Amino acid sequence: MEIKTSGPKTKTSKTKIRNPNAIMNEGPTIVGMMSAIIERGGSIDSAVRDVAKNGPKRSASLFRSIAVRADTRQIPDISHGLSEMLTSLPAEATAYRRSVHMVMVAAASPDQSERKRMLSDASDISLTGLKEIGENYSTSLNVPCMMIFGLGIMVPMVLMSILPMLSLGGVFGNSSSSIGPIVLVTVVVIPAIIMSLIFSVKEKNPFMRPVSNMDPKYILPALSAAPAALAVFVLTNDLQMSLMIAAVVSGIAMLAYVFPYVRSESVREKQEMLLQDAVFELGNRLIAGENFETAIVKAVGMRAECSAIAESISREMAVCRGDACAAIKASVGKVSVRISDVFCDVYRCSLKDVRDAGRLAVSIGRQIQDQDTVRKGIKNKLKSMTDMMTGTAAVFAPLVLGMSVTMLEPVSRVMEGADLGGTSQILSVYLIELCILIAVLTSFLNGKTDIMYMTYRMGIILPVSMAVFTMCSAIGL
């Protein structure tokens, strides 16, 4: 994404966005942040600056540019800059443009009920846009995923099974089939094509999270494959068995190492969901007249999974010396920065009027719930595709390719000079590559680029795939 400005004082923002759907994904969050400020009486000025400081990456960059240009008198005011930026957005971001325009109109409305209605409409528009891009993305996955499915199974099976049989039938004349080009295509060309398809899927994913954890420590357990393979080869002199053992050992080692981290992240995500529900409870308690400090501890502590967070809030409140926002960020921020910011907004509002703060909390809680409902629906639609690709790498591909190896056994006995002895080893190497690629793909489909999740999926898929392939290829006809 680039932001280019030209001209003197009345600069026109020319916004170039590589993936417009990605900014559409940020629309509901932006509308929610701006609505929270405007509902409690803030201006469009303060709403834009809040997004510039705390908003999602792409929108924060756009809004930050507006604030800087307004501060340096390159544009008359922030409202002018915001309108200018929205006008320059591509046609694909229509819902984003319309929803933010609606927020701007609501901010200018003197009637409170009318303002709330407009903000609600803005939220609905942004959620509808999010739902549409989710459905479009889900539909667009059919072709690349089917291509991966076909390339990952059918092409290697044809190369390893059909071509030797054609050679046996004399299609290639008297020359024996050479396995060299087949090895090149199977272990180099096909994985390269699949990798390019995977990265095209990643680029189109509007729900892709920014890279946050690429620590190589998660893949270090894979190095255990080398001593395991060497030990098995020395004992058995069987290359196929060495490859299988190496893959299984490295997969189990990676899974064992990464599992505690994944489990910890799952607990955090569950706590974040429960904290979202606590926003509603906080609002109800504030509307009933409770003070903020008591209400937040009780609202968070109602869930057993969040009892430790509630105790942390209570301790931090006791020693914060009046800086409640710092206490909230120290206790809630380590679980969810987003919810800690919401609690801080509600706290600042409660300093003026506790019941108004309660109504604000209920409104924000409803917005968060609506966003999560839409995103869960999209995730469920993508789940079938993720499960299909996981099943392909873990079971279906090794099953088909293992049976292909079994079919080659009687063929190899009657083909004089045919170099088919290394077929199992070649397919083992290919399946290891396929498992790694599918682990990356399924992580990308879920919008996660962390190497931790890729390693976790690799640790699950790799041992299963190699076990299925070994059992199927060992079946005699």
Side-chain angles (χ1 to χ4, degrees):
M1 181 182 66
E2 296 177 3
I3 302 172
K4 296 181 180 179
T5 58
S6 61
K9 290 187 178 180
T10 58
K11 293 183 180 178
T12 301
S13 177
K14 300 295 182 183
T15 308
K16 183 180 179 182
I17 300 174
R18 186 172 59 179
N19 185 3
N21 284 342
I23 198 170
M24 286 281 288
N25 179 42
E26 298 176 353
T29 303
I30 296 307
V31 170
M33 293 177 67
M34 297 179 75
S35 297
I37 291 175
I38 291 169
E39 272 194 44
R40 66 172 189 259
S43 64
I44 195 69
D45 231 57
S46 56
V48 169
R49 293 183 186 278
D50 182 59
V51 173
K53 182 180 179 181
N54 304 311
K57 180 181 178 181
R58 296 173 181 86
S59 294
S61 176
L62 295 173
F63 281 59
R64 197 178 303 119
S65 175
I66 295 169
V68 169
R69 293 173 64 209
D71 292 341
T72 55
R73 299 293 187 270
Q74 298 177 48
I75 53 176
D77 52 43
I78 279 184
S79 294
H80 180 274
L82 185 57
S83 298
E84 200 176 66
M85 182 273 289
L86 294 174
T87 303
S88 71
L89 290 177
E92 295 87 347
T94 299
Y96 186 96
R97 182 190 303 114
R98 290 176 58 199
S99 59
V100 177
H101 266 307
M102 189 71 75
V103 172
M104 293 175 66
V105 175
S109 175
D111 185 81
Q112 186 173 359
S113 59
E114 182 71 10
R115 187 187 308 128
K116 291 186 69 174
R117 185 188 65 78
M118 289 180 178
L119 292 175
S120 177
D121 289 345
S123 179
D124 291 342
I125 292 170
S126 62
L127 289 172
T128 301
L130 178 65
K131 188 175 181 180
E132 288 177 358
I133 65 169
E135 291 174 350
N136 292 339
Y137 177 65
S138 178
T139 303
S140 72
L141 291 174
N142 291 332
V143 172
C145 286
M146 290 309 298
M147 287 180 66
I148 293 172
F149 182 83
L151 284 170
I153 298 176
M154 302 309 297
V155 175
M157 184 185 72
V158 168
L159 290 175
M160 292 297 174
S161 302
I162 305 301
L163 290 182
M165 292 180 184
L166 291 176
S167 179
L168 176 63
V171 174
F172 300 111
N174 295 326
S175 61
S176 61
S177 58
S178 173
I179 206 167
I182 297 177
V183 174
L184 180 65
V185 172
T186 304
V187 300
V188 178
V189 177
I190 294 175
I193 296 173
I194 292 176
M195 184 180 296
S196 66
L197 289 170
I198 289 172
F199 278 94
S200 73
V201 168
K202 174 182 178 289
E203 288 300 317
K204 295 177 183 177
N205 190 349
F207 311 107
M208 187 64 64
R209 301 177 188 176
V211 177
S212 58
N213 189 352
M214 294 300 289
D215 193 334
K217 70 178 182 180
Y218 298 110
I219 60 173
L220 288 179
L223 298 177
S224 60
L230 181 61
V232 172
F233 185 75
V234 169
L235 292 174
T236 65
N237 201 32
D238 188 335
L239 182 58
Q240 168 62 22
M241 180 64 68
S242 300
L243 287 171
M244 190 273 289
I245 294 297
V248 171
V249 168
S250 63
I252 293 174
M254 286 188 291
L255 184 61
Y257 182 79
V258 172
F259 181 74
Y261 295 98
V262 174
R263 183 177 181 182
S264 175
E265 180 62 16
S266 297
V267 170
R268 189 203 65 78
E269 289 178 353
K270 185 177 181 180
Q271 288 178 332
E272 184 175 23
M273 291 179 62
L274 294 174
L275 286 174
Q276 293 173 8
D277 296 335
V279 174
F280 274 108
E281 182 62 26
L282 173 62
N284 292 333
R285 289 180 177 276
L286 292 176
I287 291 173
E290 288 189 36
N291 66 72
F292 180 85
E293 289 78 2
T294 303
I296 189 173
V297 173
K298 289 182 178 179
V300 174
M302 286 185 66
R303 286 83 179 165
E305 294 87 347
C306 297
S307 57
I309 301 174
E311 292 176 5
S312 177
I313 294 173
S314 181
R315 289 195 302 269
E316 293 291 341
M317 285 288 187
V319 299
C320 70
R321 297 182 180 180
D323 191 355
C325 285
I328 292 169
K329 290 179 179 178
S331 52
V332 180
K334 58 188 177 184
V335 176
S336 173
V337 175
R338 178 189 182 193
I339 302 301
S340 70
D341 289 340
V342 169
F343 284 153
C344 288
D345 288 339
V346 174
Y347 167 73
R348 284 189 285 267
C349 186
S350 71
L351 297 177
K352 299 178 181 178
D353 189 299
V354 171
R355 287 181 172 81
D356 278 350
R359 286 187 282 271
L360 174 65
V362 170
S363 176
I364 295 175
R366 187 178 296 112
Q367 291 172 7
I368 293 173
Q369 190 176 60
D370 290 343
Q371 292 176 34
D372 286 346
T373 299
V374 172
R375 287 193 166 94
K376 283 178 183 177
I378 295 169
K379 186 177 181 181
N380 289 335
K381 289 183 179 180
L382 292 175
K383 190 175 186 300
S384 60
M385 192 67 70
T386 304
D387 292 344
M388 183 190 78
M389 301 313 297
T390 301
T392 296
V395 179
F396 195 63
L399 177 66
V400 172
L401 297 179
M403 295 305 296
S404 299
V405 171
T406 300
M407 291 168 58
L408 282 175
E409 289 299 322
V411 176
S412 63
R413 296 191 189 104
V414 296
M415 290 180 65
E416 295 182 1
D419 185 15
L420 301 176
T423 302
S424 295
Q425 293 92 323
I426 296 166
L427 290 178
S428 295
V429 173
Y430 168 73
L431 283 172
I432 293 172
E433 294 176 336
L434 183 64
C435 290
I436 295 171
L437 291 170
I438 296 300
V440 174
L441 172 63
T442 52
S443 295
F444 286 169
L445 288 177
N446 288 323
K448 296 176 179 177
T449 53
D450 287 7
I451 198 170
M452 179 180 72
Y453 292 103
M454 298 177 193
T455 305
Y456 177 69
R457 291 182 177 276
M458 213 181 302
I460 294 174
I461 297 172
L462 193 54
V464 176
S465 178
M466 295 309 297
V468 171
F469 176 73
T470 301
M471 287 188 293
C472 290
S473 59
I475 297 174
L477 294 178

